[in-house]
Amino acid sequence: MNIRRATEADEAVLRELWEEFEAEVPEPFGEPEPWKDEWADTRRDIAAGTVLIAEDDEGAVGVARAEAPRRGSVHVQLVHVRPRGRRHGGAKALLAEIAKEARERGASRLTLEVLTSNAPARAVWQRLGFQEVSLFLAAGLGALAARLGEAGGAATFGSIHVQTDDRDRVERETAKYRPRLAGPGAWRVDGPRNGWVSVHDELLERDPKLLQRLAKELSNAVGSVVVGFSVEEEAAVGYSIYDRGSSVDDYLSVPELHGPLPPGDVVSLEANPRVVQRLTGADPAAVRSVARTAASPAELPPARELVAQIAALMGIDGADRGYAG
């Protein structure tokens, strides 16, 4: 394998290698960088930093780009080796050449960035002695706005609704299972109304996951359909439906409220109108129209209004109010 310095005449092959890297390790959020911007940075590093191409008998097999030394450090922007050059020392050879030139120019360390999701690359860098010295953090603006309280004291609350008229049994089962999930706190059982008995809990409503655990326990214990609603920081509405202890449908109005998700996970958080109809009697067309998903809370009705609309389709009252409400 031959390592040589790149020149501006290598633009075509440098672009090809860079596009392969971008396809293999895509940006986790935001728009991908256009080649014209990457090329401007590459030209700068050809002139003042280090840009290398690794070649084998078939041609270009790898690329590495590093910035000019700054305060004793050289930052490595890119190391990419095509699959045929991996496990043959291609990345090490490129990095060794960058390190050699960095030392010759008076630098004492190399730095680089790697996505936390790129486990194979992290393992390679750690084996070579690179250590974490900082964290680059990101937050979705919808979730951040909610957590910063832009909604004006945004609240998280929820409620559980059991499809039964047997209020006494719901009270007994709640008293039985609730202590396993939370410490002392106030809770109450309302109803029945329209064939549903509702449970409101002062502590569990603040944690949608714990609330859903109680909803599942009640569904299994009572042997009935249970709907657990949650409103997260007045920003997103969610529900889970259980039938005899089994989860049959999950919905979240802003699936990526807490950050980017794989496309399949986003789809899985859309409402299933046919399941909702079968278990609650709601009109599927109305469910499809009302229980929509969006990229931002701003694209949907206010959370309290939305949860009330969805619950009403199921014949449920009180889902828009927390324990104190």
Side-chain angles (χ1 to χ4, degrees):
M1 185 177 295
N2 176 56
I3 306 291
R4 68 173 177 85
R5 293 186 69 88
T7 70
E8 292 190 17
D10 292 307
E11 179 182 2
V13 70
L14 290 169
R15 178 172 185 172
E16 187 176 298
L17 290 163
W18 175 77
E19 288 178 345
E20 288 178 7
F21 173 78
E22 289 288 292
E24 187 172 317
V25 189
E27 289 290 333
F29 47 79
E31 294 294 326
E33 183 179 27
W35 169 248
K36 66 180 182 65
D37 293 343
E38 173 68 14
W39 178 233
D41 292 338
T42 301
R43 291 181 61 196
R44 179 200 63 208
D45 291 333
I46 287 174
T50 305
V51 182
L52 305 172
I53 294 176
E55 297 173 322
D56 61 11
D57 293 341
E58 298 180 45
V61 70
V63 61
R65 177 166 74 84
E67 298 176 355
R70 184 182 181 190
R71 295 198 295 270
S73 294
V74 166
H75 188 71
V76 180
Q77 285 284 0
L78 172 67
V79 176
H80 173 64
V81 176
R82 286 172 163 163
R84 73 171 189 270
R86 296 171 189 174
R87 300 186 182 277
H88 297 290
K92 284 185 177 180
L94 286 165
L95 194 65
E97 191 65 27
I98 286 177
K100 176 184 175 183
E101 182 166 324
R103 286 194 303 270
E104 291 173 350
R105 299 180 66 176
S108 59
R109 69 186 65 84
L110 294 184
T111 63
L112 55 83
E113 295 177 10
V114 61
L115 292 177
T116 55
S117 59
N118 192 349
R122 291 177 65 190
V124 169
W125 298 127
Q126 287 168 354
R127 284 198 299 270
L128 291 173
F130 286 85
Q131 299 177 343
E132 291 185 11
V133 295
S134 67
L135 289 175
F136 177 81
L137 305 179
L141 287 177
L144 182 61
R147 293 187 181 279
L148 291 174
E150 289 186 4
T156 290
F157 62 91
S159 55
I160 297 170
H161 306 271
V162 185
Q163 195 178 63
T164 181
D165 288 325
D166 193 344
R167 172 179 175 151
D168 291 343
R169 186 174 184 187
V170 173
E171 283 187 318
R172 289 196 305 271
E173 299 298 344
T174 301
K176 176 181 176 181
Y177 288 103
R178 185 192 177 280
R180 304 179 186 180
L181 303 175
W187 57 277
R188 72 172 189 272
V189 175
D190 298 331
R193 287 194 293 268
N194 301 323
W196 295 90
V197 174
S198 302
V199 179
H200 293 268
D201 191 292
E202 181 183 29
L203 295 181
L204 293 182
E205 72 172 14
R206 303 173 193 171
D207 188 332
K209 290 183 179 179
L210 288 180
L211 191 76
Q212 295 302 339
R213 284 177 60 185
L214 179 58
K216 183 176 181 179
E217 295 283 8
L218 291 177
S219 176
N220 185 56
V222 179
S224 179
V225 172
V226 172
V227 182
F229 281 102
S230 62
V231 173
E232 297 190 40
E233 296 167 329
E234 306 263 4
V237 173
Y239 70 66
S240 290
I241 302 179
Y242 304 91
D243 186 9
R244 295 174 176 84
S246 297
S247 177
V248 293
D249 192 29
D250 293 298
Y251 163 78
L252 185 61
S253 62
V254 187
E256 296 183 299
L257 179 70
H258 299 297
L261 293 174
D265 289 355
V266 173
V267 172
S268 72
L269 291 172
E270 296 177 355
N272 187 324
R274 292 300 176 187
V275 170
V276 178
Q277 177 194 38
R278 177 170 59 84
L279 297 177
T280 72
D283 176 60
V287 172
R288 191 175 294 109
S289 174
V290 174
R292 297 180 292 115
T293 60
S296 165
E299 301 174 38
L300 296 168
R304 287 181 186 264
E305 180 181 324
L306 179 60
V307 71
Q309 291 174 355
I310 296 172
L313 296 175
M314 304 178 187
I316 294 172
D317 180 50
D320 58 333
R321 301 185 296 274
Y323 173 81

